[in-house]
Structure formats: structure tokens, C-alpha cells
Amino acid sequence: MTLEGRLVDWFRSNRRDLPWRRQRTPYTTWVSEIMLQQTTVDVVVPRFVAFLRRFPDIQSLASAEEEDVVAAWSGLGYYRRARGLRLGARAVVERFGGTIPSDEKDLLSLPGVGPYTAAAIRSLAFDQPAPAIDGNVARVAARLFADDGDVGKAGTRRRLRERLVPHVPEGGAAAFSEALIELGALVCRPKSARCDACPVADLCAARLTGRVATLPVRQPPRRSRPVLSARAWVERGCRVLLVQRPADASLLPGFLELPGRWGPAGENPPDVVREVLENLGFDDVRTYEPVAEARHAITHHRIRSVAVRADVVGAAPGGCRFVPWDEVDLERVTTETRKLLRSREASV
DNA sequence: GACGCGTGGCC
DNA sequence: TGGCCAAGCGT
């Protein structure tokens, strides 16, 4: 049987039951593909279901407030994706009469839709012969064709796509595209390729030349650096002091957090907290002992967060405010601060 | 083309 | 634990 025939057959009997496969529409495809960018399936599944409940169609998403869409994205990371999705929905309503386009150029004109997502929507939702090359498929194809180009480079991905396109079966573009993704996710794994379970192992050039373990080629990732994040824990009655990150911050714009800043690992948290509170405009800052600690990671940074209890005199200056505990909206708080709040809660 | 952008899980 | 990874995109 042909390569494509075996892949599609394998997919038919091995495909996972995932919510976006149950109701395959351009909208569900779009939302799920954006959520799945750099994000694992297990994390996405519950968030996808909740998001679809909250924004069941493109009109509801287009008319939603940005902060509500971002809140629905809470914990998924890469929040630009949420803002792009909402802007994209508005663009679809305004420019395409509310119908998600199937044309590649039209799709690429939507914010957050790049080569992968455009191909995914075209193939999965419209059955067009556009194999979607994500990390999984790049790995599968690099091994299948024994291509030793850097799969992180656009040129390599283009070449792999051109090698795959001739295999797209007539009337089976969606199954072919998704089968490649699924094979990469379930069988042709980065570390342990389960070639014994692979339907195309005997056609795989990497397998035939003993290079499965060394393909695909990719640039080594950058090293992560340790960071100390010192946070102020200021309570007043049943309220806690929070600041809102600037709307134009590149990292987590608009999110609420405990006042503080990142710094080198050697800094003294109480000193940093004092400095931060004084810079906010508070007088008579007193710091006490650390009350919560958490570990977090943001691309290339390993963060050790320490919350230091402090007292201040005077009203909250602009940009920060005392929020009643029962009104702290965890969906609008950074994950780092959420971890600190939870850690404190757990130890009380 | 390199870098910034989040997070959770796994070993 | 730290490194590595996961259905990328925008600049």
C-alpha cells in the first residue's frame, strides 16, 4: 500500500477522541489550532471546552471584550494568541461577512495565523491539499525523507512540505494532514521513536539508514538563567496590595500581580521589596519575613519567587490598589502571583 | 534570522 | 532539580 494509504488507515484506528475532532468546523479548528501552538494537548482539552462554552461562535468572540477573552485564556500562556484570536474574529466579521476564509492569503492576513495554522485550517476544515507542518510533522517528515536540514528554519519546512504534497490523497487531505500530526504525537516521538508501532517504518529513510536517533536536526535551545522575583505581601484588613502591569508591557500586559521585580539570584528580597514599595510612592515601608515562596519558569528564565510581608503608610498611589481577598480574580492575576497566593493559603 | 513570548508535565 | 519539550507567530 502507498505511504499515504497506510498513514490514513493507521490514523483511522488510532486517532484520539479530542473535542475539536468531534465537532470539526472552521471555527473549532481555528480556536484549537491557536490554543495548541506550543501547548500540550492535555492542557488544551479542558480550556478548549470551556472557551467554546464561553464563545460558542465567531460572532460571540468578535463582540467580546478583550479582557474577557484574555481571562478565558488564563493559564494557557502566550496571551498575544488570545488577543489575536479576538481581533481575527472581528476581521472575519468585518472583511469576510462572518465566514472564516479558506484561501491561504486571506487566512495569513488574520492576526496570529501563520504558515502552520493557515495550512491546518485549509486541510483540516476545508480538505485542501495543504499539509500542516508543525513540530510533529517536521520531525516525521525529516525522518521519513532523511532530511538533515534544521527543522527550525522556514526553508527546511518548505522543502518538507513540497515533499509531502504529492502524497496528499484525492479527497483525503484532512485525514492525511492530521494523520501526520498524530503519528508524530503518538509514535514518532523526539526521544523514543516507536518504530515497531509505525505504519510506514519500512518506507522511512532514517530508519533504513540508522539515523532515527539523530534526526531531525535542530539548533540547541538557549540556556535558561536563574532569576529572583521579590514580591511585596502587604495586607490591610481583608485586602491585599496588587499592581496592574502596564498595558504596553511585552510580558503579561494588563495582568495584576503582587508588587515587585525580577533581579539577580543573589539579591536580598526584603531590600528589593522596600525599594519597590518606595518607588511606588509609599512612605514608612517596613518589611518582615518571607511568607510565601514559589517556583515558576518563563522562557529562558528559572524564577524563584519570594513574597515578603510588609507594612506601608498612606493610601495606595496610582497604579496599585488594595483588593479585598474575595474579589481577587485569579484569572486576571499572573501565574507567578497566583502560585504565591496559593502557597500562602496552603501554609495557613 | 534571532529573539521574545507562558505554562505545565515529564524524567 | 533543571533541562527539555509542546499542534508557532510577530518583529
Side-chain angles (χ1 to χ4, degrees), chain A residues 42-100:
Chain A
D42 289 343
V43 171
V44 168
V45 166
R47 322 305 296 273
F48 173 83
V49 173
F51 193 90
L52 262 272
R53 262 202 306 274
R54 211 149 156 180
F55 309 106
D57 50 43
I58 198 138
Q59 283 73 25
S60 57
L61 182 56
S63 58
E65 295 296 329
E66 179 181 281
E67 61 178 60
D68 292 329
V69 181
V70 172
W73 210 264
S74 169
L76 272 176
Y78 290 147
Y79 297 93
R80 188 172 53 192
R81 296 182 297 173
R83 286 181 279 272
L85 200 53
R86 171 177 170 275
L87 290 177
R90 296 171 77 86
V92 167
V93 167
E94 287 164 20
R95 286 160 45 206
F96 302 108
T99 303
I100 295 172

Side-chain angles (χ1 to χ4, degrees), chain A residues 284-339:
Chain A
D284 298 324
V285 174
R286 290 187 189 191
T287 61
Y288 302 93
E289 75 287 2
V291 290
E293 183 162 346
R295 291 187 181 281
H296 188 53
I298 292 180
T299 44
H300 309 132
H301 301 280
R302 301 188 309 276
I303 305 162
R304 188 170 72 91
S305 307
V306 178
V308 176
R309 197 165 65 81
D311 282 334
V312 294
V313 171
C320 58
R321 67 189 184 95
F322 287 94
V323 181
W325 277 112
D326 54 10
E327 288 177 23
V328 175
D329 185 347
L330 293 178
E331 285 189 341
R332 296 168 201 272
V333 163
T334 65
T335 295
E336 183 202 336
T337 285
R338 196 161 57 240
K339 285 179 178 176

Side-chain angles (χ1 to χ4, degrees), chain A residues 82-279:
Chain A
R83 286 181 279 272
L85 200 53
R86 171 177 170 275
L87 290 177
R90 296 171 77 86
V92 167
V93 167
E94 287 164 20
R95 286 160 45 206
F96 302 108
T99 303
I100 295 172
S102 60
D103 177 78
E104 182 179 22
K105 277 200 175 57
D106 291 340
L107 286 167
L108 290 173
S109 76
L110 300 174
V113 176
Y116 166 75
T117 307
I121 294 173
R122 289 177 62 207
S123 59
L124 304 183
F126 294 106
D127 208 32
Q128 291 183 10
I133 316 285
D134 67 345
N136 285 316
V137 179
R139 180 173 62 252
V140 170
R143 285 175 175 163
L144 203 51
F145 304 129
D147 188 314
D148 58 5
D150 183 340
V151 291
K153 295 192 184 299
T156 305
R157 298 214 173 192
R158 262 197 304 277
R159 185 168 63 247
L160 294 172
R161 186 190 61 197
E162 284 160 15
R163 294 268 254 145
L164 287 172
V165 165
H167 291 285
V168 177
E170 196 72 29
F176 180 70
S177 190
E178 203 159 22
L180 286 168
I181 298 172
E182 196 78 338
L183 188 71
L186 298 182
V187 174
C188 196
R189 306 287 310 148
K191 300 284 186 189
S192 56
R194 298 176 42 220
C195 298
D196 53 332
C198 179
V200 293
D202 59 313
L203 300 176
C204 177
R207 169 93 165 149
L208 296 173
T209 57
R211 286 191 283 165
V212 172
T214 57
L215 289 173
V217 173
R218 68 166 72 241
Q219 276 193 326
R222 289 169 52 201
R223 302 261 184 240
S224 67
R225 305 187 73 93
V227 166
L228 174 68
S229 177
R231 298 286 152 183
W233 187 288
V234 185
E235 286 190 68
R236 191 174 279 178
C238 292
R239 297 160 183 260
V240 62
L241 184 68
L242 296 177
V243 296
Q244 183 165 27
R245 298 177 58 81
D248 61 355
S250 63
L251 182 70
L252 300 168
F255 280 84
L256 296 170
E257 63 184 1
L258 295 169
R261 68 162 173 79
W262 287 7
E267 281 189 309
N268 181 241
D271 293 345
V272 177
V273 163
R274 167 184 304 280
E275 169 208 313
V276 166
L277 291 172
E278 285 175 354
N279 284 346

